[in-house]
Amino acid sequence: MNSERIVGRSVPRKEGRDKVTGRSKYVDDMVLPNMLFGATVRSQIPRGRINKITFGPGIAWDEFVIVSAKDIPGKNCIALIGDDQPCLANEFVNHPEEPILLLAHPDRHLLPKAVEAVSIECEALPAIFNIEESECRSEVIWGENNIFKTYLIEKGDIDGVWSKADFIVEGEYTTGAQEQLYIENNGMIAAFDGAQGLTVWGSLQCPYYIHKALIGLCNLPAEKVRVVQMETGGAFGGKEEYPSMIAAHAALLAMKSGRPVKLIYDRMEDMAATTKRHPSRTRHRTAVTRDGKILGGEIESTIDGGAYLTLSPVVLSRGAIHAGGPYHWPNVRIRATAVATNAPPHGAFRGFGAPQSLFAMERHMDRIAEATGLSPIEIRRRNFLRTGDTTTTEQVVREPIDLGKLLDRGLEISDYHSKKKRFAIQNKGGDTRKGMGIATFLHGAGFTGSGERYLSSVVGVEGCADGSVRVLVSSTEFGQGTKTVLSQIAAEALGLPYDSVSMGQADTLEVPNSGPTVASRTVMVVGKLVQSAALGIKQTLISSGLLSEAYSADEFRAACRRYVSEHHQFRSWSRYEAPADIFWDDEKYRGEAYAAFAWAVYIAEVTVDLTTFSVSIDDFVALQEVGKVLHPLLATGQIIGGVAQAIGFCLYEKVVWQNGRMQNNQMTNYIMPTSSDLPAIRVFFEELGNVYGAYGAKGIGELPMDGPAPAIVNAVSDALGVHFDSVPLLPEDIMDKLDSARLAVAAEEADVGGGR
Amino acid sequence: MNDSGPGPAKVEISFAVNGETKTVRSYPMERLLDVLRRDLGLTGAKEGCGEGECGSCAVLMDGMLVNSCLVPVLQAEASSIVTIEGLSDGETLHILQQAFIDCGGAQCGICSPGMILAASHLLNQNADPTVEEIREGLAGNLCRCTGYSQIVEAVAEAARRRTSA
């Protein structure tokens, strides 16, 4: 057997060569004979009743395929957690990007004019656009009270703590919507024939989500629906649920026309119509002792879900469970609520609720520090979760994590203390101010609570006729390195060279349902299943007498070839089984929320320009414990990429809303960071391991989205001596706040001058 | 964004692509990007935004880096164009392509063709750029996956390998 380990090494990315040579095929690169192009006609108003649809003059309508809700063979909904979201609006519209009609034509150029020529007359109904309007229920647009979902997490006796507190610290924190802004827009191609059924190819994260949605919508048996992932140009959660909508639309056009249909969004449509990160508002009220110990607190977290349920309940759940951060709360009450508004549904985006609630927690820790007169470091240190403590859901921390030590290492790497001293002197003059900010946080890997149990994922490993091995999963590659790391795991388990493992295409006809590619679960959860399925291959070869316990790669290949020639097919399956020591109570929202947490200390150093109010990040240290790092280069790339995206969330990316519609839905006016905007982000790992993950790995993909925004805003607040409690934090926001702070000081001085 | 279609009648336009002369019949205002992808089957150039912001459609035109979504095909008449498909020498990767693989410069890969062409343009102008010059030189190409650091390292590494080769 090959004694050199493959996990832990930065082997070449499986599909790297195709990507750098332009050979990789993304959905828009694919052309089918006789193909039509599709387009979507959407609502123009946020809420109303559709009265009349008119096809205007000047368009050869008989050349177009036109699909409306009445052409849907099955149920008119995009099945996910609930079935409230129609595929095509029939009578009512509930947000301004709601799809109503679909058009297809052989000439792509004729579609925009045709879409414009359709006029939809609606009777407008009053609409609501933010959390506050939804809460006051002057209009009820969803269910009985505009509430999609609530959670209550309670631990200890929160009502008893207030009288014992030396300080009660309150704060309110908000975060804005954020566009995923994958560089490849969403798109699908669908083809239908009576014998083979329906096939869709597309840019997507979760083949089996789409499979499920299409079965009900098209009224087809499962075996007549096939979903194939093409190379996918970034996703970040933005291709988790909305691709089901686009696949459904392409499918309806293909079924009606009998021809393949390509439906690709351009950037403006993608930004306006598809999901974004949930805007949020979180309120903290915390009881603290004089020596900085948290006695308890109330946390109220509310997210804006948009017009339909989609994934809001699970986003909310993750946000609620992360709301207490990496701290020990002897007593706590967390109330979390997802509300409806007349905006396009908000959805999955890297971090999935945690960046919102952790932003609030980590800003609030600095507020508590100030109230108690302790430093931001000391207040954190005195409240960190320790091994044996319980989290807010009363999950016992079993792993030997030492956050105090992790923090010390971060402070040393960032040269925190000497910089703080230096800045205190520098900041007395000049036209810039410098500051340091910290965020300490955690991120749970895998589905929340009983999620993995319900998913019950299946993974296959196949021994091939040429003696090589193929991994069969519906887990998708969209940049993170799924193909590479899962291949490493299989190779490691079998003691084979990395090159003798390949990945099957994520095609529902070929691969089992290994669950969605979300929730930082692929390496940890799916990887563990790959490991066990691979071991099944080895065991079979050994027990059938074709291979001895100690073997070379050549001997393995020979044995595998022989087995396939004798048995025709050689596959080993592995199904998820929840570890016996993990228990979650869905009713009380209590127990082991995640099989593993990753832990992190992020430290930002910023300069604020007092003339332009722009913030530049001079240094960014990202230090995290993520279990064993299976591929250092990819893991580092994930962290840097996540930090960069979070810097965008914090300092650049503002969705401008008007009546539920995104106004700046272009790359020219929705600004994401470029290479010249970002600092060199310094990445460091601690590796404690994890018994529940493949070769000790934990999830890593979402973690880096959580910490940068609070670390940076803490640094800006430190630099200016003024608290900022919202992101995005743009130069104009800083200017406004400083102006009002100055006015307040001036007013106070005037009062004092008046001889009060 | 795709509405460059009918207007003046189609005309014949000739230019060199990756060293081969090509003649296409196109509407003069059609985007070079569409002609490359649809008529010539060169799908390495990608449409990310359709308005010259993201650089995914970047190609070299007479040695200059252009966003092919902003170039009317008529303007390409008699020019010499290099796309990502023409950068490698058969199966031998260009030094930048290899460095992108080695340094983690490509994640989802959608920006990689444009990014690598932008980097090759940069190295042609400046064989030994500083990190700041690389960051500045690639600022017209957006990447949402990498946070750019490993791209910057790949370009610096390619420059080192080229000088030591």
Side-chain angles (χ1 to χ4, degrees), chain A residues 293-316:
Chain A
K293 286 291 274 187
I294 291 176
L295 293 172
E298 283 185 299
I299 307 172
E300 226 185 79
S301 199
T302 308
I303 61 172
D304 171 354
Y308 296 107
L309 185 69
T310 63
L311 291 169
S312 290
V314 266
V315 171
L316 184 70

Side-chain angles (χ1 to χ4, degrees), chain A residues 185 272 324 427 453 500:
Chain A
N185 290 311
N427 281 349
R453 211 181 286 252
S500 42

Side-chain angles (χ1 to χ4, degrees), chain A residues 12-13 15-17 19-26 28-30 107-110 112-113 178-185 231-234 236 262 264 266-268 349-350 477-480 632-634 636-638 640-642 644-645 648 653 665-670 672-681, chain B residues 1-6 27 30 34 37-38 41-54 56 84-88 90-93 96-98 100-113 115-116 131-132 134-150 152-153:
Chain A
R13 176 182 282 277
E15 75 294 357
R17 202 179 165 89
K19 283 179 172 171
V20 300
T21 52
R23 277 182 216 151
S24 291
K25 290 293 173 214
Y26 300 79
D28 199 21
D29 301 336
M30 179 172 160
D107 186 347
R108 204 170 188 165
H109 297 313
L110 298 181
K113 278 191 188 121
Q178 185 188 18
E179 164 58 32
Q180 292 88 355
L181 215 72
Y182 30 73
I183 306 295
E184 181 208 23
N185 290 311
E231 199 68 67
T232 294
F236 315 108
K262 181 186 262 192
I264 307 279
D266 69 15
R267 180 59 60 184
M268 291 184 77
F349 190 164
R350 192 182 208 164
E477 168 71 54
F478 39 86
Q480 347 81 300
L633 188 69
L634 288 179
T636 305
Q638 280 297 293
I640 298 173
Q645 206 163 34
E653 299 176 31
N665 55 332
Q666 288 170 270
M667 281 178 165
T668 31
N669 46 22
Y670 179 88
M672 65 161 271
T674 70
S675 49
S676 62
D677 298 320
L678 292 174
I681 294 153
Chain B
M1 291 285 121
N2 287 315
D3 195 12
S4 50
Y27 296 111
E30 199 141 19
D34 295 328
R37 289 177 54 84
R38 185 196 55 215
L42 297 168
T43 55
K46 309 296 182 190
E47 175 167 347
C49 67
E51 54 179 353
E53 277 294 326
C54 74
S56 323
I84 192 67
E85 290 89 349
L87 203 63
S88 50
E91 285 305 302
T92 310
L93 296 181
L96 271 162
Q97 291 170 316
Q98 188 61 52
F100 266 64
I101 293 177
D102 297 342
C103 299
Q107 286 191 22
C108 84
I110 196 83
C111 76
S112 305
M115 192 68 82
I116 290 170
V131 165
E132 288 69 33
I134 297 172
R135 285 189 173 271
E136 199 55 46
L138 300 181
N141 292 71
L142 297 177
C143 169
R144 191 60 154 171
C145 294
T146 62
Y148 306 104
S149 296
Q150 292 176 339
V152 173
E153 279 159 31

Side-chain angles (χ1 to χ4, degrees), chain A residues 143-470:
Chain A
E144 286 168 9
N145 52 13
N146 290 338
I147 294 178
F148 288 129
K149 185 77 186 173
T150 58
Y151 291 107
L152 176 65
I153 297 172
E154 281 188 302
K155 177 184 175 188
D157 170 25
I158 186 63
D159 299 319
V161 302
W162 307 111
S163 59
K164 297 174 200 148
D166 295 311
F167 303 98
I168 294 174
V169 186
E170 297 187 44
E172 180 177 308
Y173 310 91
T174 59
T175 63
Q178 185 188 18
E179 164 58 32
Q180 292 88 355
L181 215 72
Y182 30 73
I183 306 295
E184 181 208 23
N185 290 311
N186 268 289
M188 290 281 165
I189 296 175
F192 179 76
D193 79 60
Q196 290 199 341
L198 176 66
T199 305
V200 299
W201 297 263
S203 180
L204 57 96
Q205 285 178 243
C206 309
Y208 278 97
Y209 279 4
I210 297 173
H211 192 254
K212 178 185 166 190
L214 291 177
I215 288 169
L217 181 97
C218 302
N219 201 18
L220 288 168
E223 66 276 12
K224 293 281 183 192
V225 176
R226 177 182 177 195
V227 180
V228 185
Q229 187 217 11
M230 300 294 289
E231 199 68 67
T232 294
F236 315 108
K239 295 173 184 173
E240 178 170 348
E241 73 269 41
Y242 206 87
S244 296
M245 178 74 85
I246 306 170
H249 291 169
L252 292 172
L253 285 166
M255 289 175 87
K256 184 152 183 183
S257 66
R259 293 167 67 170
V261 175
K262 181 186 262 192
L263 182 53
I264 307 279
Y265 286 3
D266 69 15
R267 180 59 60 184
M268 291 184 77
E269 183 171 24
D270 192 296
M271 290 180 84
T274 73
T275 58
K276 294 173 228 354
R277 186 184 302 287
H278 290 72
S280 78
R281 182 198 66 205
T282 302
R283 292 176 175 142
H284 274 265
R285 183 163 186 259
T286 316
V288 193
T289 66
R290 195 166 288 111
D291 59 357
K293 286 291 274 187
I294 291 176
L295 293 172
E298 283 185 299
I299 307 172
E300 226 185 79
S301 199
T302 308
I303 61 172
D304 171 354
Y308 296 107
L309 185 69
T310 63
L311 291 169
S312 290
V314 266
V315 171
L316 184 70
S317 150
R318 185 173 281 270
I321 292 169
H322 286 72
Y327 306 111
H328 180 238
W329 296 81
N331 306 283
V332 75
R333 182 182 294 136
I334 301 170
R335 283 180 199 281
T337 311
V339 300
T341 61
N342 294 110
H346 296 297
F349 190 164
R350 192 182 208 164
F352 210 70
Q356 291 95 319
S357 62
L358 283 168
F359 173 74
M361 181 72 255
E362 284 306 286
R363 277 299 296 136
H364 194 62
M365 282 312 271
D366 272 28
R367 284 292 182 98
I368 296 174
E370 190 184 73
T372 55
L374 293 167
S375 72
I377 292 164
E378 202 47 41
I379 196 73
R380 286 175 170 80
R381 199 187 292 285
R382 291 185 189 185
N383 291 288
F384 277 144
L385 279 167
R386 289 173 173 78
T387 307
D389 284 346
T390 59
T391 66
T392 54
T393 64
E394 297 185 44
Q395 171 167 2
V396 180
V397 178
R398 295 209 186 93
E399 47 191 313
I401 181 70
D402 185 341
L403 287 168
K405 227 170 101 189
L406 199 69
L407 178 58
D408 286 336
R409 187 176 166 206
L411 296 171
E412 195 188 318
I413 296 168
S414 63
D415 199 15
Y416 181 91
H417 290 294
S418 64
K419 279 183 176 163
K420 278 283 282 183
K421 272 185 209 146
R422 210 162 66 231
F423 297 164
I425 298 163
Q426 280 177 17
N427 281 349
K428 285 179 179 147
D431 48 12
T432 59
R433 293 289 178 270
K434 298 210 58 168
M436 299 290 285
I438 294 176
T440 52
F441 57 102
L442 76 180
H443 197 97
F447 261 44
T448 302
S450 325
E452 291 295 345
R453 211 181 286 252
Y454 292 138
L455 277 178
S456 192
S457 300
V458 178
V459 157
V461 172
E462 177 173 25
C464 303
D466 64 354
S468 71
V469 165
R470 205 160 68 111

